Amino acid sequence: MKFKQIFSRENVKFIAIFTGSLLGFILLLIYLVMPFYTRQHQSIAVPNVCNLSYSAAQKILKQKDLKIVKAAEKYDENFPPGFVIFQNPEPGSTVKKGRRIYLTVGKGQRVIEMPKLVGLAERDAKFVLSDHN
């Protein structure tokens, strides 16, 4: 093919219309479809549910249309059993409706069984204690 045949008036017109249509389609996707698909208009601030009971935290998060996930339970002597110690995302963060909020719930103070050390030599007692952990 010759250069003049490739860049004839009809071919240039077709390329211009195709390029313009493709650019219009991409802009339509970026500015109209994607914001709707990603629900950018549904942002809300995450409430602070730390230091609340798990059931109270559930109620508050459900009212905000957020999903609750009990991520972990952790021993902590500063919190009574069943109270929220930590949350992720942090309070005040902006998230979309339906987002999962991961809660770490306290199990209270850790209770351990003390091994019997009466009558043991100090060295043996230390060995029993180190082995007990």
Side-chain angles (χ1 to χ4, degrees), residues 10 37 45-46:
E10 295 85 29
Y37 180 72
V46 177

Side-chain angles (χ1 to χ4, degrees), residues 11-79:
N11 286 347
V12 169
K13 187 176 180 181
F14 172 77
I15 291 171
I17 290 173
F18 178 76
T19 305
S21 299
L22 184 63
L23 183 62
F25 179 72
I26 291 170
L27 290 173
L28 178 76
L29 279 175
I30 290 172
Y31 292 106
L32 293 178
V33 176
M34 290 308 289
F36 178 75
Y37 180 72
T38 59
R39 300 182 293 175
Q40 288 181 352
H41 59 282
Q42 295 182 353
S43 320
I44 55 173
V46 177
N48 186 3
V49 294
C50 291
N51 300 321
L52 296 178
S53 68
Y54 183 74
S55 59
Q58 269 185 317
K59 289 178 187 176
I60 291 170
L61 293 173
K62 281 184 181 181
Q63 287 174 351
K64 294 281 187 176
D65 214 8
L66 298 168
K67 294 181 181 177
I68 300 97
V69 177
K70 188 187 265 188
E73 290 185 311
K74 185 177 178 181
Y75 288 107
D76 192 328
E77 61 187 37
N78 298 321
F79 293 89

Side-chain angles (χ1 to χ4, degrees), residues 6 8 13 32 39 52 60 66 92 104-105 112 117 132-133:
I6 294 173
S8 67
K13 187 176 180 181
L32 293 178
R39 300 182 293 175
L52 296 178
I60 291 170
L66 298 168
T104 301
V105 180
I112 59 171
L117 303 174
H132 190 68
N133 285 337

